[in-house]
Amino acid sequence: MALTQPRIFLHLILALSLCLFVGVSTFAAEDNGVPLALLKQRQWGDLDRLMNRYLDEYKRNTDKEFDTTTAFDAISVKDPKIAHLFDEWILASPDSAAARLARGRYNYEMAWLARGGNYMAETPQEKISGMELHTNRSIDDLRRACELDPTQALYSRYLIQAFMTIGKRDDINKEYKRATALDGQVRGARYAYMYTLLPQWGGSYQEMEAFLNELKEMPNTPKTIKTKGILEALLYARKSDDFFRDGQFEQALTFANLAVLANREQSGLTQVGNALVKLNRHAEAIPVFTDAINLSPSTANELRGPRDRRAFAYKVLRQSKEAFDDYVILAEKDNSYAQYFLGFAYAKGWGGIKRNQAEGIKWLALAADKGHEGARKLLLEVRSQEIH
């Protein structure tokens, strides 16, 4: 099933590896770097106590699942150079469930790094083999974590992800049942399981809808209500994506709006705005993108994120100052198109921007260094004019 599935989209991969667990965490922003810092400093005792504490807190209180997941996500960066540090941690603490979970989580990230972002049909066998190798390593560590701490539901989320990657449906079902037996309110395992039902992974929308209907039997608590909303939004968002790819933008807009109604979050609002842009309703899209930015400012400046899309809408509407202001923020975040745009605006005096050749050259050079062909050509033109 999964590994040879030809239509695996990069946004799905990113969603799985970076954003699989959706929800507001109380893991403080200033603490996000602590686990990784302790790992790099080889502070094995402090690191082990911290991460096992997160696991224990979640077992005592299901609402702590968010904090625990965020803590382990923070240490699982896509960096091949730190693999030996996880090995050293396990050598120092061989009976630590947290150490095994961390290395298993890390190897899952490395599996997708090894695979790359192309379609499966365009991925060389050596990359597929590298993905399989890291995935199997991840499974081995996660199973060991289960042996060391058999009452912990968190491991199932990551095991379901790994089993999905290599197409082990029976193991997925077993892990899902194990997690829900340990924590009736578990969210991560349910979200991971919902992903396995996506058509891209051999499932269907009918199966996703049936799963959602089953979840209606869950007792309502703040956490389970949020979980139901998140999973319903996932279904609608994927339907919106399908219509969007097929150029059916009215239908894409309908389902994107349903996703936002089910769970108001940044990616859903951005998809609403994108559909409005495709329908040439740029003025309506701008406040939607603004809402998306305000909802999560820390993630608003990513490539094709809400600020990127709002800047484009402003530009189409010839609201030059607003477009320019957004592109300044994006350019400072290393967005190559934004750097090209600033270079163009300064070099040509676009939209009433005061011409400034030095500033234009600065931004064009930055974009050209990243391979932006338009920036390279314009940079040659501007420099040629300087010479003459």
Side-chain angles (χ1 to χ4, degrees), residues 281-299:
R281 294 160 60 179
H282 298 85
E284 294 175 62
I286 286 171
V288 176
F289 289 133
T290 301
D291 284 350
I293 293 167
N294 293 338
L295 198 60
S296 181
S298 64
T299 57

Side-chain angles (χ1 to χ4, degrees), residues 15 17 40 72 75 109 137 142 148 193 202 274 277 319 329 351:
S17 60
K40 290 182 176 180
F72 279 93
I75 204 171
E109 293 297 327
R137 286 176 178 171
L142 293 169
L148 291 166
Y193 186 79
N274 286 338
V277 165
Q319 293 181 235
I329 294 171

Side-chain angles (χ1 to χ4, degrees), residues 154-376:
L154 192 76
Y155 311 138
S156 299
R157 168 208 170 187
Y158 302 108
L159 277 165
I160 290 169
Q161 288 178 254
F163 290 143
M164 179 181 69
T165 304
I166 56 177
K168 291 191 172 185
R169 173 59 60 180
D170 288 344
D171 288 323
I172 287 171
N173 293 333
K174 289 176 184 176
E175 251 341 282
Y176 175 70
K177 290 177 182 177
R178 192 182 82 88
T180 53
L182 289 170
D183 176 9
Q185 297 188 52
V186 67
R187 181 181 298 172
R190 285 190 168 97
Y191 195 73
Y193 186 79
M194 184 69 153
Y195 256 99
T196 72
L197 302 179
L198 282 166
Q200 291 94 328
W201 293 98
S204 68
Y205 289 133
Q206 290 77 15
E207 290 176 279
M208 295 175 78
E209 288 165 358
F211 182 55
L212 283 173
N213 286 332
E214 289 178 21
L215 297 185
K216 290 178 181 178
E217 303 302 317
M218 292 168 59
N220 280 336
T221 68
K223 181 177 177 179
T224 59
I225 290 170
K226 182 70 172 177
T227 299
K228 293 172 191 179
I230 288 170
L231 298 183
E232 186 178 3
L234 172 60
L235 170 64
Y236 291 140
R238 293 309 170 193
K239 286 186 175 183
S240 176
D241 285 348
D242 286 349
F243 282 120
F244 196 93
R245 281 193 299 270
D246 292 340
Q248 300 180 54
F249 302 119
E250 287 285 2
Q251 293 93 327
L253 177 60
T254 296
F255 281 104
N257 276 319
L258 287 171
V260 171
L261 283 173
N263 182 47
R264 186 177 179 82
E265 47 85 37
Q266 190 175 81
S267 64
L269 286 166
T270 303
Q271 180 68 342
V272 171
N274 286 338
L276 288 169
V277 165
K278 287 293 186 180
L279 292 166
N280 293 315
R281 294 160 60 179
H282 298 85
E284 294 175 62
I286 286 171
V288 176
F289 289 133
T290 301
D291 284 350
I293 293 167
N294 293 338
L295 198 60
S296 181
S298 64
T299 57
N301 302 323
E302 295 174 357
L303 184 64
R304 289 182 290 278
R307 190 180 303 279
D308 193 350
R309 305 308 299 147
R310 187 177 73 173
F312 173 78
Y314 278 138
K315 184 174 70 169
V316 171
L317 293 172
R318 298 187 179 278
Q319 293 181 235
S320 54
K321 180 184 183 307
E322 291 83 357
F324 188 84
D325 289 346
D326 270 346
Y327 280 125
V328 167
I329 294 171
L330 293 166
E332 290 173 347
K333 295 293 183 180
D334 231 20
N335 181 308
S336 63
Y337 177 80
Q339 291 169 344
Y340 160 71
F341 181 84
L342 291 189
F344 172 84
Y346 279 121
K348 301 292 186 180
W350 174 86
I353 303 300
K354 186 175 180 181
R355 294 184 69 174
N356 185 325
Q357 296 296 83
E359 277 294 297
I361 288 172
K362 179 186 82 172
W363 289 113
L364 289 171
L366 286 170
D369 286 345
K370 295 181 181 64
H372 194 288
E373 185 61 19
R376 187 189 67 79

Side-chain angles (χ1 to χ4, degrees), residues 14-173:
L14 294 175
L16 278 167
S17 60
L18 301 177
C19 307
L20 182 60
F21 191 90
V22 179
V24 177
S25 173
T26 56
F27 185 72
E30 62 269 21
D31 294 336
N32 278 340
V34 171
L36 187 59
L38 290 173
L39 180 78
K40 290 182 176 180
Q41 293 164 11
R42 293 181 167 84
Q43 299 294 316
W44 308 128
D46 290 342
L47 176 62
D48 203 65
R49 282 187 291 273
L50 173 66
M51 304 311 281
N52 275 296
R53 190 192 79 206
Y54 278 113
L55 291 175
D56 290 340
E57 286 177 350
Y58 166 43
K59 282 196 290 185
R60 288 192 294 269
N61 180 357
T62 185
D63 288 337
K64 294 293 184 179
E65 184 178 358
F66 314 128
D67 300 347
T68 304
T69 300
T70 304
F72 279 93
D73 287 351
I75 204 171
S76 303
V77 294
K78 287 187 175 74
D79 182 358
K81 296 178 182 178
I82 66 171
H84 66 285
L85 295 176
F86 291 96
D87 298 339
E88 290 179 33
W89 179 9
I90 288 173
L91 282 173
S93 306
D95 295 326
S96 168
R100 291 288 179 168
L101 170 57
R103 190 169 71 175
R105 176 81 180 82
Y106 168 78
N107 267 306
Y108 182 76
E109 293 297 327
M110 295 307 298
W112 286 104
L113 184 65
R115 179 222 185 275
N118 292 329
Y119 291 104
M120 187 58 75
E122 301 168 359
T123 302
Q125 182 57 48
E126 63 188 56
K127 288 194 172 185
I128 294 173
S129 298
M131 182 185 194
E132 290 174 329
L133 176 65
H134 283 291
T135 301
N136 285 318
R137 286 176 178 171
S138 175
I139 290 170
D140 287 344
D141 274 330
L142 293 169
R143 281 179 162 159
R144 179 57 180 152
C146 290
E147 292 171 0
L148 291 166
D149 185 8
T151 61
Q152 176 59 257
L154 192 76
Y155 311 138
S156 299
R157 168 208 170 187
Y158 302 108
L159 277 165
I160 290 169
Q161 288 178 254
F163 290 143
M164 179 181 69
T165 304
I166 56 177
K168 291 191 172 185
R169 173 59 60 180
D170 288 344
D171 288 323
I172 287 171
N173 293 333

